[in-house]
Amino acid sequence: MSDQQDPDLQALFSRPAVLPDADRLQQQILTGIEQQQRRRGLWLGAAGVTGLLVPLSLLVASVGWPGLIAAISSWTVSLEHSSAGASTVLRVLDSQYALWAASAAGLVAISIAAARSVHPR
Amino acid sequence: MIPDLSATREELLAQLAAQGNRAAFGELVRRSLPAVRSLLRRMGAQPALADDIGQDAYLAAFRSIATYRAEGPFAGWMCRIAARLYIRRAQRAQRQQWVEISDDLPQETSDSSAADRIDLDQALAQLSTAERLCVSLCHGAGFTHDELAKELDLPLGTVKSHVLRGSRKLRARLELKP
């Protein structure tokens, strides 16, 4: 038997005392968890909105509303005329659409950061 | 209708809880809560503080339930989380001086082990705060001496002597044969 193993004492410690108000405390814990889940939902919602607004603001700041609308129209047209999925991806990533890709990446990064902040390991 | 989870394995309950199932986590709470509360009180926490830390421990556990590997009982995993929270709080409150030592003994029930528990809790109350803490963490939560030294920020030799002295005193008080 090592100096830190004591089966007699371990056996005594393994028998928990039955303490009062267990049901009340259990209910409080579950209520707290429900609130935690709700807060997490709010955080993720806020992160999603922020992740959408920030890239959009950057886009508007860089190309302006008329430029943005023109880019959307151009993108839609290019999608309509593309014959293959690969060419669509290339078109999206090409020149003026690089900004879109960067915005999407920013959105994903912000969402992941927000999710980690509310769900730490 | 609320499903009866009382016979469900802890591993499965933990998986369900990781998916956000509160009923499954509630069942894990029901099973482990007596052990967590008992340990915190045996470590020396006042009843109100013990319940407060217990709640925080379960909230933390729910956030990281996906890391529970079911290699041991859920209660053991919970006890270690709760013990660490108590240590952190006590260290913050008063560096190296363990505060709010309770003299309140847990209320007893009528089952056959009640007498043993009274003896254990009374005997624990006779130990020094450091001995009580080290003995409870070692025998009640399964911490090794090395882990205790790190958690308590104490030299390994000091931890070993607290555990050894505390265990001897407990055995003597409880009249356990060597």
Side-chain angles (χ1 to χ4, degrees):
Chain A
M1 186 171 82
S2 82
D3 62 347
Q4 77 180 72
Q5 285 179 336
D6 190 325
D8 296 330
L9 290 179
Q10 283 170 347
L12 287 177
F13 271 99
S14 71
R15 297 179 203 155
V18 179
L19 300 164
D21 297 331
D23 289 343
R24 180 190 54 79
L25 183 60
Q26 183 176 344
Q27 196 51 50
Q28 281 179 0
I29 290 166
L30 294 179
T31 303
I33 283 166
E34 190 180 348
Q35 288 170 347
Q36 184 174 281
Q37 282 182 314
R38 205 173 294 151
R39 272 198 304 273
R40 183 169 175 251
L42 286 173
W43 264 101
L44 288 175
V49 170
T50 308
L52 202 65
L53 286 179
V54 169
L56 188 65
S57 305
L58 289 172
L59 270 171
V60 172
S62 60
V63 297
W65 280 110
L68 182 63
I69 291 165
I72 292 169
S73 305
S74 166
W75 186 42
T76 310
V77 169
S78 74
L79 281 179
E80 281 171 358
H81 291 285
S82 77
S83 56
S87 73
T88 304
V89 172
L90 286 173
R91 280 164 189 267
V92 168
L93 290 177
D94 189 29
S95 60
Q96 61 179 312
Y97 301 113
L99 199 55
W100 282 97
S103 302
L107 191 149
V108 170
I110 290 169
S111 300
I112 289 173
R116 282 192 174 174
S117 74
V118 296
H119 214 84
R121 294 282 167 201
Chain B
M1 195 179 95
I2 298 170
D4 180 15
L5 298 167
S6 58
T8 309
R9 283 183 301 115
E10 289 187 340
E11 189 176 3
L12 180 57
L13 289 172
Q15 285 171 6
L16 291 170
Q19 293 162 15
N21 187 320
R22 282 200 300 273
F25 193 74
E27 176 61 21
L28 288 170
V29 173
R30 188 188 67 76
R31 293 184 193 181
S32 57
L33 191 55
V36 170
R37 296 176 85 194
S38 295
L39 176 71
L40 287 166
R41 293 196 191 194
R42 285 170 180 163
M43 286 171 71
Q46 292 277 4
L49 178 65
D51 288 353
D52 194 23
I53 292 172
Q55 278 192 59
D56 289 349
Y58 279 103
L59 292 180
F62 187 72
R63 282 195 299 270
S64 57
I65 188 72
T67 65
Y68 171 61
R69 296 279 169 254
E71 287 160 354
F74 182 78
W77 188 69
M78 273 310 308
C79 279
R80 292 170 75 90
I81 293 174
R84 287 195 170 102
L85 280 183
Y86 176 67
I87 291 167
R88 299 284 166 276
R89 195 174 288 201
Q91 283 173 334
R92 272 203 308 270
Q94 202 169 344
R95 195 98 195 127
Q96 297 300 329
Q97 287 186 24
W98 305 99
V99 293
E100 296 196 78
I101 296 298
S102 171
D103 292 327
D104 298 345
L105 295 175
Q107 284 185 6
E108 284 304 324
T109 55
S110 57
D111 71 75
S112 61
S113 60
D116 287 341
R117 288 202 303 266
I118 287 176
D119 285 346
L120 175 63
D121 294 318
Q122 285 176 339
L124 277 169
Q126 307 300 316
L127 304 185
S128 73
T129 49
E131 289 167 352
R132 179 176 182 165
L133 190 73
C134 289
V135 166
S136 298
L137 288 169
C138 188
H139 299 310
F143 280 87
T144 64
H145 290 161
D146 284 333
E147 287 173 331
L148 272 185
K150 280 181 194 148
E151 293 291 338
L152 301 175
D153 199 17
L154 289 173
L156 181 60
T158 307
V159 166
K160 281 185 177 177
S161 69
H162 283 322
V163 173
L164 189 64
R165 266 205 310 270
S167 299
R168 277 186 189 154
K169 285 183 190 173
L170 273 187
R171 291 189 72 88
R173 293 246 168 217
L174 298 167
E175 297 177 356
L176 296 171
K177 289 176 183 165

